[in-house]
Amino acid sequence: MALEVTTIASTAPANAPEELVTWVAGVAELTKPDAIHWCDGSEAERDRLNAQMVASGTFVQLNPEKRPNSYLARSEPSDVARVESRTFICSADPDDAGPTNNWADPVEMKKTLAWLFAGCMRGRTMYVIPFSMGPLGGEISKLGIEITDSPYVVVNMRMMTRIGKPALDAIAAGGTWVPAVHSVGYPLVDPDGNARADVPWPCSDEKYITHFPETHEIWSYGSGYGGNALLGKKCYALRIASVLAREEGWLAEHMLILRITGPDGREYHLTAAFPSACGKTNLAMLRPTIPGWKVETVGDDIAWMRPGADGRLYAINPEAGFFGVAPGTSEETNPTCLHALNHDVIFTNVALTDDGDIWWEGLTDVPPDHLIDWQGLDWTPGCGRPAAHPNSRFTVHASQAESISPDWEDPAGVPIDVILFGGRRARNIPLISESYDWEHGVFVGATVSSEQTAAAEGTVGSLRRDPFAMLPFCGYNMADYWAHWLKVGLVLGDKAPKIFQVNWFRKDADGKWLWPGFGDNSRPIEWALRRVNGEVEAVDAISGRIPAPGDLNVEGLDISEQQLSALFELDPDAWDREAALTEEYFAQFGDKVPEALHQQLWYLRERIAKAQDAAE
Ligand code: OXD
Ligand code: MN
C-alpha cells in the first residue's frame, strides 16, 4: 500500500526542515513507495542493509577470512557502465548545453520524468540520504539529498560521500542542498498491477540520467550502476557542481589530487585530469621511483578548487571513497590500491573464486582453474570470455589507502602548485611540456585528446577529444567552461598554479612504449616541481617548455639517449596537421570559443612555422 502524505511527514527526523519534508513527501506521492527510511549513516544501518541484500541475492558475502566485511554484486549485463547517450543536460536554451552534451527541453523532460517516476517505487522502500560532498561544514563543501529505492546505492553512497545525521544537521542549520532523485525503475508490481518478485539487480531498459542546471536538480531513472546511480559523484560533483562553480567563481574538475614531499621536506600539491584508460588511479597512488620523494593521495577522481584568502588555488576532494576499475589492478601495477581492497569493499561485476574471494584479469599472471564469472556462470581459463567485466569496480573508503594524506579531509583544502593534463598519444605530445602561461594552459586543457587504440573504437589513429577530461561531465557549454577557466586565471594572476601537459604513452616507430610509466612517472613530475621552484631552466618548444637535455632525472632508469630524445621529438609538419585539427575542432563551438583560445592557436602556428623554417 502506498503511504499517505501525513504518514510520510511522520517518518522524518525531528529536525528535518519543512521544505525538505515537503519535497520528500512530493517525491513519495509520485513514486508510491511502501515505506520511507531516512538514512542516519550508522554502521547498524549499513549492516542491516548488507544483510538484507545478502538475503535477497543482490550481494554475495565474500569469505570473511580472506576478505572481511566485503561483498560482491553482479549487475544485469545491460547495466554495466555510465550511459552517456542517455545522459541529458536540460537547460532552457540548447546553446547552454552546447554541442558536446545531449540537450533536452526541461519542461518536456519534466513531463517524461513525471510519467516514468509515477509509481516506480511501488513495493519498495524509499531511502532518503542526506549527504555532504567534502568535509562537513567546510567552505568548499556542499550538501545534497539523494532519494533512492536502491539499498545498493545507500551502502555505496555511505563510502563515497559523508551521509546521514551530520549532513542532515547541516541542512537543518540552514545549509542549501541539491535535490537528487534516483530510481532503478523496477516497481514490484507489473504493468498490469500484479505484484511481482524482486530480482538481484533491478533496473529498467529505459534509462534517463538528467540534470537541470537552472534549478540545480538531478533525476536519474533506470540504472543501478555507479555513475548513473551514486548521484553525488558525476551528476553532482561534476555536472551540477560545474554549473555552481561558474556561478560562484570556482572550479569543479575531473582531477585527482596529490601531495608530494621532496627530499628537503618541502610539500607540493598537484591536480591532474586524464581521460579514461590513462592510468589515473595508478597516478593517484603513485609510488615514486626517485629516492627521497613521497607521494600521498588526497583524491583519485574529482577536485573542487577555490581561490583562498592568500590568493592561491585550494583543492578539496569532495568524495570520501574510491569507485575504481578493478581489472589491471595488481601487486605490480598498483600495490597501494590492491592493499586498500583487503577488507570492507563492495565489488561489482568481478569474478568469484571457489574459496569465496575475488579475481579479475590482471590480478595474477595465472588465473585460477575455476571461477564464477561476473554473470554468475562457470568460468575456466581459455573459455573465451572475460571472468570480470572490463568495467568491473570496487567501492572502498579512501581512508583504506595506505597512501592517503593525513590532510585529505582538511576542509580548507590543499594549495595547488601544479595542474597536469594527460592524454594517450603515440605521437606528437612529449613526455612533459610546460604551458607558457595560464591561457596557454587552458588551450592545452581544451585540446586534450587520446588516439583511438582499437578498431572497435573507430579509425585507429583518429583523435578523440576529451577537453579537461570533462567531455561527459561538463554541465554546460564546453566553450563557456573554457571562458570560465580563463576568468579564474585572471583572478589568480601570478598565484596561479603552473600548467603542464604529460603523455606517458608515446611509442617508437616499431610501436613499443618509449616510457616505462607507473612509478617512473614521478620523474617528469619532479621536473615540473623543480620548475615551480625555479631550480631549472626550460627550452622553448612547439608544445610548450620542455626539459633541457640532462634535466629530466633518469638516474637508475634503463633508457637510451635515443629513447629520451624520441620522447620529446616535435615534428613541425605533424604539429601543423594537429593545429588544423584543432581549428576544425573549435569550429563546432562557433563564436562561443573565447578569443584567447583562437589567439593561442595562432601562437602555436607561429611556433610551428618558426620550427619549420629552422628545419629547412
Ligand atoms: C569514472 C569515470 O568512473 O571517469 O571515474 O568514468
Ligand atoms: Mn572519473
Side-chain angles (χ1 to χ4, degrees):
M1 272 293 284
L3 294 167
E4 298 292 330
V5 177
T6 44
T7 323
I8 294 167
S10 74
T11 64
N15 67 343
E18 197 182 325
E19 176 208 15
L20 170 57
V21 177
T22 306
W23 176 70
V24 170
V27 175
E29 261 191 287
L30 174 66
T31 58
K32 308 262 186 284
D34 273 7
I36 299 184
H37 175 76
W38 291 70
C39 298
D40 61 15
S42 64
E43 283 188 8
E45 177 181 81
R46 176 202 60 188
D47 293 346
R48 193 171 49 74
L49 291 176
N50 285 344
Q52 180 189 313
M53 282 188 280
V54 170
S56 71
T58 298
F59 270 176
V60 173
Q61 176 153 23
L62 298 173
N63 183 336
E65 276 166 25
K66 295 190 165 281
R67 206 69 59 171
N69 300 320
S70 297
Y71 299 87
L72 165 64
R74 298 190 192 105
S75 80
E76 276 294 306
S78 61
D79 197 23
V80 293
R82 286 186 292 100
V83 280
E84 290 178 14
S85 62
R86 305 301 305 156
T87 299
F88 299 91
I89 301 297
C90 309
S91 49
D93 181 350
D95 235 20
D96 286 336
T100 56
N101 280 314
N102 301 314
W103 174 79
D105 179 271
V107 176
E108 288 306 314
M109 183 57 86
K110 279 279 169 79
K111 284 189 206 157
T112 305
L113 292 170
W115 180 79
L116 285 168
F117 276 83
C120 72
M121 296 189 188
R122 278 186 200 278
R124 297 193 178 280
T125 297
M126 180 173 113
Y127 300 93
V128 182
I129 316 172
F131 64 96
S132 174
M133 299 309 294
L136 266 139
E139 274 196 28
I140 314 181
S141 304
K142 290 201 174 282
L143 299 160
I145 300 279
E146 176 163 356
I147 287 179
T148 180
D149 53 9
S150 162
Y152 170 89
V153 165
V154 176
V155 294
N156 274 274
M157 281 289 283
R158 188 176 184 275
M159 289 210 254
M160 295 303 297
T161 72
R162 290 130 175 120
I163 77 163
K165 190 175 177 317
L168 182 63
D169 290 347
I171 288 170
T176 52
W177 49 280
V178 163
V181 185
H182 167 255
S183 172
V184 294
Y186 194 95
L188 297 178
V189 263
D190 68 20
D192 298 327
N194 303 313
R196 63 173 171 182
D198 206 354
V199 291
W201 187 275
C203 62
S204 166
D205 288 342
E206 220 168 345
K207 295 179 174 40
Y208 282 87
I209 321 298
T210 69
H211 308 75
F212 295 82
E214 277 107 16
T215 49
H216 308 152
E217 282 170 87
I218 303 161
W219 288 76
S220 168
Y221 180 87
S223 169
Y225 198 85
N228 302 326
L230 312 178
L231 302 184
K233 194 172 180 61
K234 306 299 187 182
C235 298
Y236 186 167
L238 290 175
R239 297 194 192 99
I240 292 297
S242 62
V243 171
L244 295 169
R246 178 172 62 155
E247 289 167 8
E248 298 167 1
W250 53 284
L251 299 168
E253 300 304 322
H254 192 204
M255 291 180 177
L256 61 81
I257 313 169
L258 294 182
R259 166 179 291 169
I260 306 172
T261 311
D264 58 0
R266 179 166 170 186
E267 285 176 356
Y268 308 82
H269 297 94
L270 165 159
T271 61
F274 287 86
S276 58
C278 288
K280 190 169 163 188
T281 307
N282 293 341
L283 183 61
M285 298 175 199
L286 177 81
R287 291 194 175 187
T289 52
I290 319 175
W293 288 82
K294 183 167 88 179
V295 176
E296 291 165 352
T297 311
V298 178
D300 77 320
D301 195 37
I302 299 177
W304 283 1
M305 303 192 278
R306 256 180 215 263
D310 61 359
R312 298 182 69 193
L313 189 62
Y314 283 76
I316 63 158
N317 172 7
E319 300 190 279
F322 307 138
F323 180 68
V325 175
T329 309
S330 74
E331 199 61 59
E332 279 70 47
T333 58
N334 194 339
T336 304
C337 183
L338 195 62
H339 301 168
L341 306 180
N342 281 340
H343 62 94
D344 291 274
V345 187
I346 300 168
F347 295 97
T348 305
N349 288 342
V350 303
L352 180 68
T353 63
D354 290 348
D355 57 1
D357 203 4
I358 42 82
W359 193 84
W360 49 74
E361 278 68 20
L363 178 61
T364 53
D365 289 340
V366 180
D369 290 339
H370 176 260
L371 293 164
I372 301 295
D373 75 7
W374 69 275
Q375 297 189 74
L377 305 172
D378 281 309
W379 184 96
T380 47
C383 72
R385 288 178 283 116
H389 187 278
N391 190 37
S392 53
R393 299 276 178 153
F394 52 79
T395 316
V396 68
H397 198 260
S399 61
Q400 287 187 210
E402 56 209 20
S403 62
I404 200 75
S405 164
D407 290 336
W408 80 280
E409 297 199 274
D410 184 342
V414 294
I416 300 304
D417 300 286
V418 163
I419 295 173
L420 296 186
F421 291 116
R424 177 182 277 269
R425 296 294 304 270
R427 290 172 289 275
N428 281 15
I429 309 292
L431 178 64
I432 187 161
S433 171
E434 177 188 333
S435 298
Y436 286 107
D437 53 26
W438 184 269
E439 289 187 359
H440 181 221
V442 174
F443 175 80
V444 166
T447 54
V448 163
S449 60
S450 285
E451 266 132 16
Q452 306 286 8
T453 50
E457 289 177 298
T459 318
V460 173
S462 73
L463 293 185
R464 176 186 147 99
R465 298 282 177 179
D466 191 353
F468 287 72
M470 283 286 278
L471 186 66
F473 305 123
C474 187
Y476 60 102
N477 190 306
M478 185 60 79
D480 289 338
Y481 164 90
W482 300 334
H484 177 59
W485 261 79
L486 291 165
K487 228 195 247 169
V488 171
L490 291 178
V491 173
L492 293 169
D494 62 1
K495 303 265 177 50
K498 275 185 181 294
I499 301 179
F500 295 79
Q501 182 170 33
V502 294
N503 176 23
W504 321 136
F505 301 97
R506 198 131 173 188
K507 290 181 175 171
D508 67 13
D510 299 329
K512 285 218 255 350
W513 301 119
L514 283 163
W515 182 248
F518 298 102
D520 288 314
N521 292 338
S522 54
R523 297 169 185 273
I525 290 174
E526 183 208 35
W527 179 77
L529 300 178
R530 292 173 73 206
R531 286 291 299 156
V532 168
N533 269 345
E535 275 176 41
V536 278
E537 293 296 319
V539 178
D540 287 1
I542 293 175
S543 61
R545 300 192 178 106
I546 59 174
D551 275 353
L552 183 73
N553 180 351
V554 289
E555 218 176 296
L557 196 63
D558 184 17
I559 190 167
S560 68
E561 278 303 321
Q562 202 186 7
Q563 263 170 295
L564 258 183
S565 66
L567 277 164
F568 290 96
E569 197 183 304
L570 297 157
D571 171 6
D573 294 337
W575 271 86
D576 211 17
R577 291 191 289 277
E578 185 101 20
L581 290 175
T582 299
E583 186 173 353
E584 237 174 69
Y585 173 64
F586 280 171
Q588 69 176 301
F589 299 96
D591 58 11
K592 285 234 178 219
V593 177
E595 191 46 41
L597 296 194
H598 287 304
Q599 206 167 34
Q600 285 299 323
L601 181 58
W602 193 79
Y603 291 147
L604 172 65
R605 284 185 152 141
E606 260 196 339
R607 294 195 296 274
I608 293 167
K610 220 166 114 191
Q612 280 170 326
D613 286 349
E616 269 166 18

